[in-house]
Amino acid sequence: MWFVWFVDDASSASRLSYSLAVPETPTLRPALFLDRDGVLNEDHGYVSRWEDFRWIAGAREAVAAFNRAGWLVIVVTNQSGVGRGFYTEDAMHALHRRMAEDLAEIGGRIDAFYHAPQHPEAPLDAYRHPDPPDRKPNPGMILRALAEWAY
C-alpha cells in the first residue's frame, strides 16, 4: 500500500492511497506529489522560461527537507501551454532542468517530473483530447508515477 500526499495549491493537500502489486521484499518510500505552478513557483500564467520563473518562498527548502527525510518528490503538472502552442515541450524540459540545477545547489532534488500537455481545446491536433487521462484532476500522472516508482 502506498500513501501519497498530493499538493495541488499552496494551501491544500489531499491524501490518496492506492494498492499496487509490490515485490515480496518491497522498499517502501513515502512520496510527495507536487503541482508546479502555484505550488513550487509563482503562477503568472504559462511560465516556460527560467527568466520568468520565481520560486515560491520556502519551496526549495521544503523539497530539500523531504529529500533529507527519505521521501520521493515528484512533480505532476498540467502544461496546456504546450498544447496551446505557447511554448514547446523542449522549452518546458529546459525549465525543469534549470529547476533541478537550482535545487541541487541547496541539496534538493525532484525525483521525477510528469506533465500533461493535452487540453480539450488545444489548437494543436496532437495535444487535443476530450478528457486527457493524465490531465489533473484525472489521476493518470500519479498512477504512472506509482507504477514506475514502486520498487
Side-chain angles (χ1 to χ4, degrees), residues 1-2 18-23 25-29 31 33 72 74 114 142-151:
M1 176 77 72
W2 275 63
Y18 295 96
S19 293
L20 296 175
V22 293
T25 55
T27 304
L28 298 178
R29 291 177 63 190
F33 288 78
L72 293 169
I74 298 172
Y114 292 86
I142 293 174
L143 295 175
R144 268 194 307 135
L146 289 173
E148 291 174 10
W149 288 89
Y151 55 87

Side-chain angles (χ1 to χ4, degrees), residues 79-111:
Q79 289 297 309
S80 70
V82 171
R84 295 171 192 264
F86 298 158
Y87 51 91
T88 65
E89 285 188 84
D90 286 343
M92 181 206 60
H93 290 304
L95 176 61
H96 291 169
R97 280 190 299 275
R98 188 60 184 93
M99 290 172 63
E101 291 167 5
D102 202 50
L103 278 167
E105 292 177 8
I106 65 159
R109 76 178 178 288
I110 301 294
D111 293 290

Side-chain angles (χ1 to χ4, degrees), residues 2 8 10 20-22 33-34 38 42 50 55 58-59 71 89 100 103 107 112 122-123 126 128-130 132 134 145:
W2 275 63
D8 61 358
L20 296 175
V22 293
F33 288 78
L34 299 169
E42 296 174 5
W50 184 247
W55 289 102
W71 285 56
E89 285 188 84
L103 278 167
R128 191 176 316 119
H129 190 287
D134 282 349

